[in-house]
Amino acid sequence: MALVGRTATWWARLRSPRPAAAPLCLPPWRPAGLAAGGRLYSSRGREKLDMSMYPVESIRNFSIIAHVDHGKSTLADRLLEITGTIAKTDYNKQVLDKLQVERERGITVKAQSASLFYNHEGVNYLLNLIDTPGIQAQTVANFYLAFEAQLTIIPVINKIDLKNADPERVEKQIEKLFDIPADECVRISAKQGTNVEKVLQKVIEKIPPPQCNTADPLKALVFDSTFDHYRGVIANIALFGGEIQKGHKIVSAHTKKRYEVNEVGILTPNEQPTHKLYAGQVGYVIAGMKEVTEAQIGDTLFFYKQPVEPLPGFKSAKPMVFAGMYPVDQTEYNNLKSALERLTLNDSSVTVHRDSSLALGAGWRLGFLGLLHMEVFNQRLEQEYNMSVILTAPTVPYKAVLSSAKLIKEYGKKEITIINPAQFPDKLSVSEYLEPTVLGTIVTPHEYIGKIISLCQDCRAVQKDMLYMDEHRVMLKYLFPLNEIVVDFYDALKSLSSGYASFDYEDAGYQAADLIKMDILLNGNPVEELATIIHNDKAYTTGKLICERLKDAIPRQLFEIAIQAAIGKKIIARETLKAYRKNVVAKCYGGDITRRMKLLKRQAEGKKLMRKIGNVEVPRDAFIRVLKRQNDK
Amino acid sequence: WPYCRKRCSYCNFNKYVVPAVDESAVGACLVQEARTLLRLSQVQSITSVFFGGGTPSLASPRTIAAVLEAVAGAAHLPASAEVTLEANPSSASPARLAGFRAAGINRLSIGVQSLDDAELRLLGREHTAAEARGAVEAARRLFPGRTSIDLLFGLPGQSQDAWARGLAAALGLCDDHISLYQLTLERGTALAAQVWGGTLPAPPQDLLADMYQTACTMLVAAGFRHYEVSNFARKGALSTHNLSYWRAEQYIGVGPGAHGRFVPWGEGGRSREARVQTLEPDAWMQEVQSRGHGTRRRVVLSPLEQLEELLALGLRTDEGVTHERWGQFSPQLSLEAVFGEPGEAQDLQQQGWLLLDGGGLRCSVRGLALLDSLLPDLLCQLQR
């Protein structure tokens, strides 16, 4: 499968055992006369900052990782306030969430970073905070990843202001699950600001400074990029060695292209130009790049004539949910194309692949990190680009291990990926079909266990583990076929647990599956647009559903219409649309027939647009009605 | 005559219920507009006159007489012309009907709708079944062989049996012409609101088909000719006026909301136009008084549009569209040329819904009930 992926999750791999020993100094933009600890606004247009005042030992780079809705962004707000990066007002809510959709939904979509300045025990520190996308960072899974990467972890327990808060219980759970002693946890209320300063102090105490040297040649990691209409590409960078300033000639390890630096600076969280950036620091560079593809995430920048060993690449986060996206009308195709291009410039975690459907025309198959990601993306399309689209139910990338020599030669390999039902190879040519799976982790209060287990069984999931975290909560691990959870599993889970159950998942490879291709027939003729690949166990229910939806979407005709779902020659579901017995206006013609003629002519026009399958006339929007994601339950 | 004494629960026609009607003013305007439009059309001879509404039987015979006099003054109105008045049983006493006959009416169409009192209440009618019977009997005495009754089927909650019984009762009472209409729920009517709101049941499609079927069978068995989708006549008592409508002949609409199809030779027009008069009576009167007529809209019909109308209307009759009639609108392209070639019409013929032969193009008996499924296809073929 050829997917254009530019996904990345960034793991801070900076650490150093060297002790801190920095000269006393004030943050560079404070005018003389104000005592340390006072609060100020950061603003653009002020003099450039002098970053040389922050040697490596005074730098701490950290991220906040947490589950959706746990309050990362609120914590980030408080940290920004405490450090004077922004003024403390009642209006600071999710300051780092600049997108409308982020603010509406209360989630972070695009990771923003901010450099904070903080004085602790007489030393001025530069703290670089990266706010992580809430869609992707999941506590448990990511804890283990961070642990494996040997990163320092500071556990923070938030929302202690809530009535039902029980921090002691949570500390015990943390001890049990992660082996971290309870006394290392910091209990805070980000909303009220309680104890948030302690977090900063712990960051300074516990997290080691980055391990790098300004004397080394320039080595900068690109961890994000945005496109600004006027200034070009702004690449977010972390310096692993050396220094960078305006006028420097730099090279991209990936593209080998050469650029001249126009501007460097830090993010507070807005762009704040500085004279230079030094090793261990995090900020941005503008260097005359025109396309975002020139600043690939994971790329290394170095000095022209001083090449360095490129930094290890990124582990791309695989898209897990796919959806077909089509313009409502083919005339809108180009508009949608440019909207998608621009939106994915700044959301590199969406994978885009051109696709087409007989029913809906030319479109795309998009890959998202999750259902929420997809919904947010759709919302951004509507709000920021004014585009309405047809979203079809997500399909997952199935695989088949071919056994036919002819096909193996044709494809060039033995194991192929199938996204489109038209590509589904016949059973006879295949030794095994495979479906993608995920290992899902569900944490729930024990009273919902029964219903949840039922739900998982309905989704063909296999239980792998069950662990009582404490007297009240249970952690369940299930191996799910991916296609069973991509549509509405999460919603179902939430609603039958009154919102208390949480869901977390990670890729778990492929497993053998009894897959079939199901055709839809109208009076015996197949409707190609509606063919689907599904698991044999679910064929009947899906087939029946499609037949029912199609029955509602096709108008009655002069003869009976048999709507059938079939696997090969075997019919597995059927609906019948009866013929019209009477369709003539038998009412009193009190009025002018002008209106009636208009209606008849419109019907005649409609007939021209109808697709004829055998002798059955099918309106174009019938496919849309059958294929689109249904929100009704 | 757009005025009524009461609103029926299902009606969405251009009707007005007002406490007092200035009859002489309205009458004068009808007279004036009739004269103006007759002059405009340069029509020589009238084949039929139809008084519709509203409730025309609420107008006085004097007004009817005045209009007929004006018509006779502007064109030739032979004694053989069919002159119909629509009447409501509650304004059709023998005396009144006699007055209308004296004024020049020679055919009567009575809005019976139903012979069941409960159904009449549901429909919001002003009369009882007994009153309807009385009116029909009186009409038959004054206009023998020239009385028609209107009946409605497909009422909410009506059963097949109730309908059959009702029709049988009507057959015992009627003269030689019946108009059979399916109750159609129109947006804005009280009845529609009740059905769509769920207070009354909506009649299922299959039941409506059955009722229509039953009615056709019963009427044909009683000697009626099913000469149009909704109209049945025996002993030759077809409605001349409605026939000319379905044959796309010329007609002039006079009065608020009336519609017409004619060529305004008097103004230098050369093409057939679709016209409609201003709907609201007071506005209409002002226009008639200031410029002689209250035509709200006139649209020239292209040759294609004229043929489309001819097709859509003509196929509603058992005679269909004759070759001669078609030829009058399409001298270059015959019916055969358009519909005889392989295409939609031929497919429909093969399926038994349509007939194209020496008599012209028409629906089969089964095809008539499905006309609206056939027409879009035929229009497509015609357009090509």
Side-chain angles (χ1 to χ4, degrees):
Chain A
M1 154 170 52
L3 289 170
V4 179
R6 291 174 51 243
T7 313
T9 53
W10 178 51
W11 299 106
R13 290 181 138 262
L14 310 170
R15 62 192 188 102
S16 160
R18 274 186 277 154
L24 180 74
C25 59
L26 295 167
W29 72 82
R30 283 207 187 139
L34 268 178
R39 285 155 185 191
L40 274 175
Y41 301 74
S42 77
S43 63
R44 305 186 62 175
R46 290 207 176 228
E47 285 178 19
K48 283 191 180 173
L49 303 178
D50 182 1
M51 299 304 289
S52 65
M53 309 223 265
Y54 292 90
V56 160
E57 308 81 61
S58 311
I59 299 174
R60 303 288 184 272
N61 296 330
F62 70 105
S63 257
I64 310 173
I65 303 173
H67 203 83
V68 172
D69 274 346
H70 281 197
K72 290 191 301 304
S73 296
T74 314
L75 175 58
D77 291 343
R78 291 291 94 71
L79 295 174
L80 291 173
E81 281 172 11
I82 290 175
T83 54
T85 316
I86 58 175
K88 179 167 162 54
T89 73
D90 288 332
Y91 301 104
N92 287 337
K93 287 210 164 52
Q94 299 160 247
V95 172
L96 293 182
D97 291 338
K98 291 180 187 156
L99 297 171
Q100 179 187 356
V101 63
E102 289 175 333
R103 306 187 78 81
E104 276 176 14
R105 286 184 172 241
I107 54 175
T108 306
V109 170
K110 188 164 170 49
Q112 308 284 352
S113 57
S115 296
L116 320 174
F117 298 92
Y118 186 67
N119 184 296
H120 178 60
E121 291 175 357
V123 180
N124 286 305
Y125 292 93
L126 167 62
L127 308 172
N128 295 311
L129 160 65
I130 312 292
D131 195 8
T132 49
I135 298 157
Q136 183 200 349
Q138 310 291 349
T139 324
V140 175
N142 292 318
F143 167 78
Y144 288 118
L145 281 167
F147 187 72
E148 278 168 44
Q150 293 177 301
L151 301 174
T152 308
I153 293 159
I154 299 172
V156 175
I157 301 174
N158 193 14
K159 303 198 185 185
I160 57 173
D161 55 295
L162 289 180
K163 203 168 72 137
N164 293 331
D166 189 350
E168 246 179 64
R169 212 181 91 218
V170 178
E171 278 167 3
K172 285 206 183 71
Q173 287 172 1
I174 291 179
E175 237 178 36
K176 183 155 183 189
L177 277 170
F178 305 134
D179 250 344
I180 297 179
D183 58 14
E184 281 193 26
C185 298
V186 185
R187 301 186 190 183
I188 65 164
S189 161
K191 190 162 106 176
Q192 295 177 346
T194 319
N195 224 8
V196 173
E197 198 139 3
K198 194 98 192 334
V199 173
L200 282 175
Q201 288 159 6
K202 278 272 186 183
V203 166
I204 290 174
E205 285 165 27
K206 292 261 162 176
I207 293 183
Q211 189 175 20
C212 37
N213 198 335
T214 47
D216 287 343
L218 171 66
K219 193 174 188 183
L221 173 70
V222 177
F223 65 89
D224 200 2
S225 62
T226 45
F227 182 77
D228 181 286
H229 213 60
Y230 302 104
R231 305 194 290 158
V233 176
I234 303 172
N236 291 35
I237 54 172
L239 270 78
F240 281 73
E243 20 179 271
I244 184 170
Q245 70 186 64
K246 180 176 162 122
H248 278 170
K249 306 230 185 329
I250 58 174
V251 179
S252 149
H254 182 80
T255 64
K256 311 278 189 286
K257 277 174 139 182
R258 193 163 24 136
Y259 303 97
E260 182 175 314
V261 177
N262 288 332
E263 184 181 313
V264 296
I266 57 170
L267 296 159
T268 57
N270 296 321
E271 283 126 29
Q272 180 90 17
T274 65
H275 287 292
K276 271 186 175 184
L277 281 177
Y278 298 89
Q281 293 178 350
V282 171
Y284 68 90
V285 60
I286 301 179
M289 293 170 185
K290 304 272 188 319
E291 308 254 325
V292 162
T293 42
E294 297 179 67
Q296 287 261 354
I297 290 173
D299 198 0
T300 304
L301 301 173
F302 53 87
F303 276 145
Y304 179 56
K305 294 284 186 10
Q306 290 190 41
V308 297
E309 188 68 39
L311 290 156
F314 282 94
K315 199 166 94 152
S316 312
K318 273 190 296 252
M320 278 299 182
V321 173
F322 289 82
M325 183 175 281
Y326 295 87
V328 172
D329 193 88
Q330 280 297 287
T331 56
E332 288 287 301
Y333 178 85
N334 284 322
N335 289 339
L336 181 54
K337 178 165 181 276
S338 63
L340 278 180
E341 281 168 1
R342 283 155 64 201
L343 196 52
T344 51
L345 276 186
N346 288 331
D347 182 7
S348 50
S349 54
V350 175
T351 60
V352 180
H353 178 65
R354 274 221 290 264
D355 201 359
S356 70
S357 135
L358 274 171
L360 303 169
W364 294 266
R365 205 161 297 257
L366 303 174
F368 299 97
L369 301 175
L371 261 182
L372 179 58
H373 187 198
M374 178 172 80
E375 284 174 11
V376 166
F377 188 83
N378 196 30
Q379 194 173 343
R380 288 186 71 184
L381 261 180
E382 281 177 23
Q383 285 174 343
E384 295 169 42
Y385 297 89
N386 206 25
M387 290 247 60
S388 307
V389 297
I390 300 165
L391 275 181
T392 58
T395 56
V396 299
Y398 293 108
K399 286 193 204 252
V401 177
L402 299 169
S403 58
S404 142
K406 177 167 159 268
L407 284 180
I408 294 175
K409 188 156 176 224
E410 209 178 288
Y411 283 104
K413 47 193 162 147
K414 198 155 186 243
E415 191 181 273
I416 58 162
T417 309
I418 317 155
I419 320 176
N420 206 315
Q423 297 174 297
F424 194 75
D426 190 70
K427 206 161 52 168
L428 298 169
S429 317
V430 166
S431 61
E432 199 178 39
Y433 291 110
L434 302 165
E435 64 178 347
T437 62
V438 295
L439 184 63
T441 306
I442 301 170
V443 175
T444 171
H446 65 94
E447 51 261 38
Y448 304 108
I449 296 178
K451 287 199 225 168
I452 291 179
I453 289 181
S454 261
L455 175 65
C456 293
Q457 281 169 346
D458 283 343
C459 293
R460 301 193 287 121
V462 171
Q463 196 183 89
K464 291 291 176 188
D465 199 0
M466 184 152 122
L467 161 70
Y468 275 84
M469 292 164 68
D470 59 31
E471 318 85 63
H472 302 286
R473 300 212 296 177
V474 183
M475 177 190 278
L476 299 155
K477 281 196 199 279
Y478 271 89
L479 187 69
F480 292 90
L482 178 63
N483 78 324
E484 294 297 331
I485 62 158
V486 289
V487 182
D488 54 13
F489 173 79
Y490 188 70
D491 279 0
L493 179 70
K494 280 295 190 185
S495 78
L496 57 78
S497 66
S498 303
Y500 284 107
S502 72
F503 185 64
D504 206 345
Y505 63 89
E506 59 193 67
D507 178 24
Y510 278 81
Q511 71 182 12
D514 185 8
L515 299 177
I516 49 105
K517 177 179 167 210
M518 185 170 69
D519 290 311
I520 302 295
L521 309 170
L522 283 178
N523 280 350
N525 295 303
V527 184
E528 273 187 69
E529 296 88 330
L530 298 177
T532 45
I533 301 172
I534 42 170
H535 192 272
N536 208 1
D537 291 351
K538 297 276 169 144
Y540 174 69
T541 35
T542 311
K544 188 129 177 69
L545 186 65
I546 294 180
C547 289
E548 279 167 6
R549 283 198 199 152
L550 196 52
K551 183 178 173 184
D552 289 337
I554 300 179
R556 287 170 84 171
Q557 294 175 40
L558 293 170
F559 41 81
E560 195 174 83
I561 301 176
I563 304 172
Q564 296 163 317
I567 303 174
K569 291 207 169 39
K570 189 169 125 189
I571 306 291
I572 57 167
R574 181 196 166 116
E575 288 292 322
T576 309
L577 187 60
K578 292 195 288 193
Y580 258 130
R581 288 183 48 213
K582 181 171 179 295
N583 183 24
V584 66
V585 179
K587 68 174 183 174
C588 189
Y589 263 117
D592 200 354
I593 54 156
T594 308
R595 257 182 72 201
R596 178 102 193 96
M597 290 311 297
K598 276 201 187 115
L599 177 62
L600 274 172
K601 287 199 268 194
R602 222 174 333 131
Q603 286 174 341
E605 287 302 308
K607 286 236 169 177
K608 289 180 194 158
L609 295 175
M610 285 211 197
R611 188 151 141 56
K612 232 174 161 179
I613 297 185
N615 56 353
V616 179
E617 279 166 351
V618 181
R620 206 176 145 273
D621 78 342
F623 297 132
I624 297 174
R625 284 171 62 174
V626 173
L627 291 174
K628 75 173 187 194
R629 294 181 64 86
Q630 310 277 326
N631 290 323
D632 49 85
K633 290 279 183 280
Chain B
W1 190 257
Y3 302 101
C4 290
R5 268 205 295 249
K6 185 187 177 202
R7 264 182 201 90
C8 300
S9 66
Y10 59 93
C11 177
N12 75 330
F13 290 176
N14 189 42
K15 75 222 172 262
Y16 301 84
V17 179
V18 297
V21 176
D22 184 352
E23 188 163 344
S24 56
V26 179
C29 288
L30 285 172
V31 163
Q32 192 180 0
E33 187 170 64
R35 285 201 188 112
T36 312
L37 293 178
L38 276 165
R39 215 175 328 120
L40 205 61
S41 70
Q42 292 190 349
V43 156
Q44 309 273 354
S45 178
I46 308 291
T47 43
S48 63
V49 182
F50 191 96
F51 287 89
T55 311
S57 51
L58 287 177
S60 68
R62 191 181 30 241
T63 303
I64 304 297
V67 172
L68 287 172
E69 261 174 53
V71 170
H76 176 55
L77 182 62
S80 58
E82 178 192 85
V83 183
T84 316
L85 180 87
E86 273 188 336
N88 203 310
S90 50
S91 47
S93 69
R96 205 165 172 80
L97 291 181
F100 287 125
R101 190 173 70 168
I105 298 294
N106 58 35
R107 184 171 176 272
L108 204 73
S109 171
I110 306 183
V112 172
Q113 317 307 354
S114 166
L115 288 170
D116 174 272
D117 283 327
E119 285 177 3
L120 288 170
R121 276 195 298 276
L122 180 64
L123 295 170
R125 299 292 289 171
E126 228 192 347
H127 55 91
T128 62
E131 282 163 355
R133 281 179 184 277
V136 175
E137 279 158 14
R140 288 184 68 186
R141 279 194 295 274
L142 285 162
F143 307 96
R146 294 170 71 83
T147 302
S148 171
I149 63 171
D150 280 2
L151 289 173
L152 277 178
F153 70 90
L155 275 59
Q158 188 181 42
S159 72
Q160 170 76 319
D161 283 338
W163 164 239
R165 271 179 279 125
L167 184 56
L171 275 171
L173 169 71
C174 67
D175 198 7
D176 293 327
H177 189 282
I178 296 184
S179 295
L180 204 63
Y181 298 120
Q182 178 178 305
L183 179 65
T184 313
L185 295 169
E186 306 281 0
R187 197 152 51 111
T189 61
L191 199 61
Q194 284 177 293
V195 174
W196 294 337
T199 333
L200 288 172
Q205 291 294 317
D206 277 346
L207 180 59
L208 292 171
D210 284 337
M211 285 181 175
Y212 182 66
Q213 202 70 40
T214 310
C216 294
T217 313
M218 283 173 74
L219 287 169
V220 167
F224 284 84
R225 171 181 158 190
H226 187 183
Y227 76 99
E228 191 266 351
V229 171
S230 296
N231 286 277
F232 302 78
R234 60 183 169 192
K235 302 190 204 139
L238 286 75
S239 162
T240 311
H241 191 83
N242 289 346
L243 269 177
S244 64
Y245 179 71
W246 295 315
R247 286 175 180 153
E249 292 171 14
Q250 289 201 109
Y251 56 99
I252 301 168
V254 178
H259 50 100
R261 294 286 192 277
F262 61 90
V263 182
W265 299 102
E267 292 186 328
R270 304 274 289 280
S271 305
R272 182 177 167 100
E273 288 180 4
R275 289 167 157 254
V276 72
Q277 311 309 98
T278 299
L279 266 65
E280 209 281 308
D282 292 332
W284 169 79
M285 280 199 280
Q286 272 176 17
E287 285 171 46
V288 173
Q289 281 156 0
S290 68
R291 53 187 180 101
H293 66 99
T295 306
R296 172 54 57 92
R297 215 172 115 86
R298 38 184 289 216
V299 177
V300 170
L301 293 172
S302 70
L304 177 60
E305 283 170 329
Q306 291 177 41
L307 282 172
E308 286 171 344
E309 284 195 352
L310 176 61
L311 198 64
L313 289 168
L315 287 178
R316 290 179 66 90
T317 61
D318 62 353
E319 129 192 305
V321 181
T322 62
H323 292 286
E324 301 91 303
R325 193 79 193 119
W326 180 267
Q328 277 161 352
F329 283 89
S330 172
Q332 318 288 46
L333 220 54
S334 70
L335 271 176
E336 269 295 333
V338 179
F339 298 112
E341 300 302 305
E344 289 89 327
Q346 224 173 64
D347 293 340
L348 293 172
Q349 277 186 82
Q350 274 160 11
Q351 293 167 41
W353 310 118
L354 206 60
L355 290 157
L356 175 61
D357 58 20
L361 181 72
R362 64 191 177 284
C363 288
S364 66
V365 171
R366 288 163 56 229
L368 194 61
L370 294 163
L371 180 59
D372 289 355
S373 294
L374 313 179
L375 276 172
D377 278 338
L378 295 174
L379 287 179
C380 280
Q381 190 168 18
L382 176 61
Q383 280 164 11
R384 287 201 305 271

